Amino acid sequence: MTIREYINQELRAFGVTEAQLFDICCDCGLTPEDWYDEQSRIIVWQSIARHIEKLLFAPKMQNVSESGFSMSWDYDNLVRYYLVLCKRSGIAPNDDALTLGGISMIKDKTDIW
């Protein structure tokens, strides 16, 4: 499976565009046609997590309705997916992104007492 195929399948529900796919691949130093394997897995996960972080801060549509057809997006799952990717790939999640998504992380501050 190529990295393009993996990212398209992984982010299918979020409608990743070709431009976003290219940004994700450039961020990790790979091309969309490179092979997705054990060596590239963590790098790709980290790049997807950083890309999702950008999506969380970008303006977005919540609901669209036209001629009796309506469509809505649930961004709560995007925040949860971002958190899982951060944990899987060993990177620290951005506190602002989590707060924006309504997830609070408890931090141990006993050392300042």
Side-chain angles (χ1 to χ4, degrees), residues 69-87:
F69 175 78
S70 67
M71 192 171 189
S72 62
W73 292 268
D74 180 12
Y75 289 98
D76 293 337
N77 287 333
L78 184 61
V79 178
R80 289 183 190 97
Y81 179 64
Y82 166 70
L83 189 57
V84 167
L85 274 178
C86 287
K87 286 182 180 181

Side-chain angles (χ1 to χ4, degrees), residues 91-109:
I91 59 174
N94 182 320
D95 290 337
D96 292 334
L98 294 177
T99 302
L100 183 65
I103 295 177
S104 62
M105 301 293 287
I106 298 172
K107 296 190 182 211
D108 183 10
K109 296 288 186 175

